[in-house]
């Protein structure tokens, strides 16, 4: 039997089958490969790729919402979280024991523990009772009610009060300085720094001498330096109107001398 020679493909059939060659996949950097598993893989489109934020980055911050809610509880005088009563010279204030212990540990450790008491007897100066049995009570000396309230508002919601303004939570200069001293005493450093910054931002010519005087008498060097910078920027107006500061600083000649050496 004769062997058949292999058939040559006809010219018409040579192009019937075309071998397709896949282009090489583009090289991807480690950053592009590090995709959040929760994100769907998208086809690569021409042009530079934009890295999509992960879903967790798009969610609202839970900590901020929690602080806002806790501060609302406190400002509403909600009793649901209160299991601590703090006795001061002006009366009593209720708060949450765990929260004060976590956020104001130096304040709680400096207070005199009075032990647990019958909840029926624990009523603050606003007629508000604490919640539940086994309430704790302490006595705190040397702190005014206004100062303690501001410390608790910071503990609950990191609230920084306005100073001398028309806002609902604004405090007077005297309360602001009492609060600064309490922050230093109870090691609330962040509130102390933010309050000092608030005081300097609200500084104007009518308040200048009072703030400078208190910062000198209470030995708050950072605030005093800020007052001196303010005086340097407003030196001409202070020289033209010495009544703005001479009365307040009449008993502090060394401070007046420092002003005129600027």
């Amino acid at each position: 039997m004769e062997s058949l020679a292999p058939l040559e493909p006809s010219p018409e059939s040579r192009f019937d089958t075309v071998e397709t060659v896949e282009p090489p996949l583009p090289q991807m950097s480690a950053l592009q490969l590090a995709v959040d598993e929760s994100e769907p893989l998208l086809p690569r489109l021409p042009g530079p790729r934009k890295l999509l934020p992960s879903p967790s980055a798009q969610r609202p911050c839970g900590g901020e919402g929690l602080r806002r809610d806790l501060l609302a509880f406190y400002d509403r005088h909600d009793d649901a979280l209160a299991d601590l009563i703090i006795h001061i010279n002006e009366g009593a204030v209720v708060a949450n024991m765990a929260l004060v212990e976590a956020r104001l540990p130096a304040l709680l450790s400096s207070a005199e523990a009075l032990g647990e008491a019958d909840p029926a007897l624990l009523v603050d100066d606003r007629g508000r009772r604490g919640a539940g049995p086994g309430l704790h009570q302490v006595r705190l000396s040397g702190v005014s009610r206004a100062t303690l309230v501001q410390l608790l508002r910071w503990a609950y919601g990191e609230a920084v009060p306005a100073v001398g303004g028309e806002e609902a939570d604004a405090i007077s200069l005297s309360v602001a300085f009492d609060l600064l001293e309490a922050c230093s005493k109870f090691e609330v450093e962040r509130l102390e720094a933010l309050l000092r910054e608030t005081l300097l931002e609200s500084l104007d010519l009518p308040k200048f001498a009072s703030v400078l005087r208190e910062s000198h008498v209470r030995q708050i060097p950072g605030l005093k330096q800020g007052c001196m910078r303010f005086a340097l920027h407003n030196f001409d107006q202070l020289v033209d109107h010495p009544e703005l500061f001479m009365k307040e600083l009449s008993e502090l000649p060394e401070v007046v001398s420092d002003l005129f050496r600027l």
Side-chain angles (χ1 to χ4, degrees):
M1 183 177 179
E2 296 181 1
S3 61
L4 298 177
L7 296 176
E8 290 291 334
S10 64
E12 293 80 2
S13 64
R14 289 180 182 177
F15 302 100
D16 290 346
T17 303
V18 179
E19 181 181 358
T20 58
V21 179
E22 294 290 337
L25 293 175
Q27 296 295 322
M28 299 180 70
S29 67
L31 177 61
Q32 292 170 326
L33 289 173
V35 180
D36 193 328
E37 294 180 357
S38 61
E39 294 181 4
L41 294 178
L42 302 177
R44 182 172 175 82
L45 301 176
R49 181 180 179 186
K50 296 181 179 179
L51 295 178
L52 299 176
S54 65
S56 60
Q58 300 174 358
R59 301 189 194 106
C61 178
E64 182 179 352
L66 177 60
R67 287 192 296 270
R68 184 176 60 248
D69 291 343
L70 286 174
L71 183 59
F73 276 135
Y74 183 77
D75 287 342
R76 281 203 301 269
H77 314 304
D78 195 310
D79 301 339
L81 300 176
D83 59 356
L84 168 69
I85 189 162
I86 304 172
H87 297 276
I88 54 178
N89 292 336
E90 301 169 56
V93 176
V94 296
N96 177 260
M97 177 72 176
L99 195 147
V100 174
E101 192 172 25
R103 301 300 307 276
L104 302 171
L107 181 147
L108 200 58
S109 63
S110 66
E112 177 190 358
L114 301 178
E116 297 184 356
D118 183 353
L121 302 177
L122 295 183
V123 183
D124 72 1
D125 50 10
R126 293 181 178 177
R128 178 177 60 172
R129 296 180 184 275
L135 292 174
H136 302 273
Q137 56 178 344
V138 297
R139 187 179 305 281
L140 186 63
S141 303
V143 177
S144 68
R145 177 188 172 81
T147 300
L148 179 57
V149 165
Q150 294 303 324
L151 288 171
L152 290 174
R153 294 187 81 245
W154 169 260
Y156 274 75
E158 295 191 354
V160 181
V163 179
E166 298 180 357
E167 294 86 347
D169 63 342
I171 58 176
S172 65
L173 277 178
S174 61
V175 173
F177 278 103
D178 289 344
L179 182 56
L180 277 174
E181 288 191 325
C183 288
S184 177
K185 178 180 179 180
F186 300 128
E187 303 173 4
V188 193
E189 297 176 358
R190 187 157 175 256
L191 175 57
E192 182 181 8
L194 291 173
L195 183 59
R196 186 168 59 242
E197 182 180 334
T198 299
L199 271 167
L200 290 175
E201 288 177 352
S202 67
L203 196 60
D204 54 19
L205 289 173
K207 288 188 293 192
F208 162 72
S210 298
V211 176
L212 177 58
R213 173 189 172 84
E214 291 299 317
S215 63
H216 176 80
V217 172
R218 300 182 190 234
Q219 299 181 1
I220 309 175
L223 188 56
K224 183 178 179 180
Q225 292 171 5
C227 289
M228 288 299 183
R229 288 194 297 269
F230 176 88
L232 186 61
H233 288 296
N234 297 273
F235 187 76
D236 292 340
Q237 297 182 64
L238 290 172
V239 170
D240 292 341
H241 301 280
E243 69 276 5
L244 290 173
F245 62 92
M246 287 303 298
K247 182 178 180 180
E248 287 279 351
L249 303 177
S250 59
E251 298 178 1
L252 301 171
E254 65 276 17
V255 178
V256 177
S257 179
D258 290 341
L259 279 176
F260 284 102
R261 281 201 299 265
L262 291 175

